[in-house]
Amino acid sequence: MTLFEKLDVNPDTVPNTKLGLHIFQVVLGLVIFILEIVLFRADGSVINGNNGWPFGLCFLSIPAWIYLAMAPRFERTRKAAQPHAMVVIDTVFAIFWLSAFASQAAYNTANSCGTACSVSKAIVGIAFFELLAWVASTAVSVYTLRYYQRTDSLPGYDRLGQSQNIDPDKAAFSMAPHDEEAYAPVQMDDHHDDHEGPYDPDSLGGRFDSDTSYRPHSTSPAPLENPFDNAYRSHSHSPAHSDPYGDPYGSTTSRPHIYAPPAAEDYDDDRPVQFPSANYDRTLR
């Protein structure tokens, strides 16, 4: 059993841990870069390989940071994130920063810092933490390699961007207790037929059995007579419920009719044209 198996490392934490270590390295490298410029401009300071190497290593680390931090996180570039290559790159740059730390310390020992020796000592201290960050990222890369050898996949990178705690079939903002029923099921059907609501008139024990203004009649009343029917029925002897919109061409009654345009079938009729029944004697008076 390996050391990582004894520690019981959660594979899902590997991507963010690796990214955090590289961001920390970038920040420290940027500080070293700025302090080296201050040291170069100080009075009496000597520019040589001892302080030039840490300064140049800040630029040399940029491609490594981009590859190690970004390549495993995207699906299109994940094929290039070979675990063996990541272990090699992390190990090589850990050695590089160890040499940069030693080189800057030798620069101070040679008393080549002039009036900015405090700045040069700060660079030595920051370079030491930079070295520790690279050692930690190398350890994470070794764990990634061991995980890849067992499962043939990178730890946690395949699940980036996916929620790990919320079931997509359940409500995310449920007020249920945080247990096995932490997320209440989403009700997809708005019609609750199995439960009687508080406004269901049938669930109140016949409270609305009597006819009220809030409940329709159990027996529909007789339809009201057409108000326009009485106006034309005062001088008519037809039945009470005769249709006032009857066929004007086939009617033989003498009562007046409301004119209705002929239907499409009437134009195909072979009968002679007839005018609607009406009192045309008034036109001769």
Side-chain angles (χ1 to χ4, degrees):
M1 183 178 293
T2 61
L3 176 61
F4 296 105
E5 293 175 351
K6 293 180 180 179
L7 296 176
D8 193 17
V9 179
N10 185 6
D12 294 335
T13 62
V14 171
N16 292 333
T17 302
K18 195 79 161 57
L19 180 63
L21 287 173
H22 291 307
I23 291 176
F24 182 63
Q25 294 166 3
V26 171
V27 173
L28 293 182
L30 179 62
V31 175
I32 292 174
F33 172 77
I34 295 174
L35 292 180
E36 288 287 358
I37 294 177
V38 174
L39 181 61
F40 292 162
R41 297 176 60 87
D43 295 336
S45 63
V46 179
I47 301 176
N48 54 28
N50 288 335
N51 63 347
W53 170 235
F55 180 79
L57 189 57
C58 295
F59 290 97
L60 187 62
S61 300
I62 293 176
W65 285 325
I66 294 175
Y67 173 76
L68 295 172
M70 297 290 105
R73 301 186 67 87
F74 300 99
E75 184 177 358
R76 293 185 178 182
T77 60
R78 197 165 295 157
K79 295 180 180 180
Q82 183 59 235
H84 297 84
M86 290 192 292
V87 171
V88 171
I89 293 175
D90 273 313
T91 303
V92 168
F93 275 88
I95 296 173
F96 282 172
W97 279 102
L98 174 62
S99 65
F101 163 74
S103 176
Q104 191 69 38
Y107 181 82
N108 293 340
T109 304
N111 199 19
S112 303
C113 50
T115 59
C117 290
S118 59
V119 176
S120 182
K121 292 178 181 179
I123 295 174
V124 173
I126 296 175
F128 175 75
F129 287 103
E130 180 80 15
L131 169 63
L132 294 181
W134 278 101
V135 172
S137 64
T138 302
V140 176
S141 295
V142 172
Y143 172 79
T144 302
L145 176 60
R146 299 283 299 184
Y147 186 90
Y148 180 81
Q149 290 174 345
R150 295 195 313 267
T151 63
D152 198 25
S153 62
L154 298 178
Y157 288 100
D158 294 336
R159 290 181 290 276
L160 285 177
Q162 299 179 1
S163 177
Q164 303 295 327
N165 298 322
I166 298 177
D167 189 347
D169 295 332
K170 296 182 179 180
F173 302 97
S174 174
M175 299 301 294
H178 294 282
D179 51 12
E180 64 275 3
E181 296 296 334
Y183 300 98
V186 178
Q187 298 293 338
M188 301 302 295
D189 188 5
D190 293 334
H191 303 284
H192 306 286
D193 296 334
D194 297 334
H195 303 281
E196 295 178 354
Y199 301 102
D200 186 4
D202 295 332
S203 64
L204 299 180
R207 182 179 299 179
F208 295 98
D209 288 344
S210 60
D211 293 339
T212 63
S213 59
Y214 298 98
R215 180 181 176 88
H217 296 277
S218 58
T219 304
S220 299
L224 297 177
E225 296 181 354
N226 191 342
F228 298 99
D229 197 14
N230 295 329
Y232 295 95
R233 194 184 297 163
S234 58
H235 302 288
S236 174
H237 300 285
S238 60
H241 295 284
S242 61
D243 187 6
Y245 300 99
D247 185 5
Y249 299 100
S251 177
T252 57
T253 60
S254 60
R255 66 181 179 85
H257 294 275
I258 297 177
Y259 175 76
E265 294 80 2
D266 296 334
Y267 290 102
D268 298 333
D269 196 354
D270 295 334
R271 296 175 299 173
V273 178
Q274 297 180 1
F275 290 97
S277 299
N279 187 7
Y280 295 101
D281 294 338
R282 295 181 298 174
T283 59
L284 300 176
R285 296 177 184 176

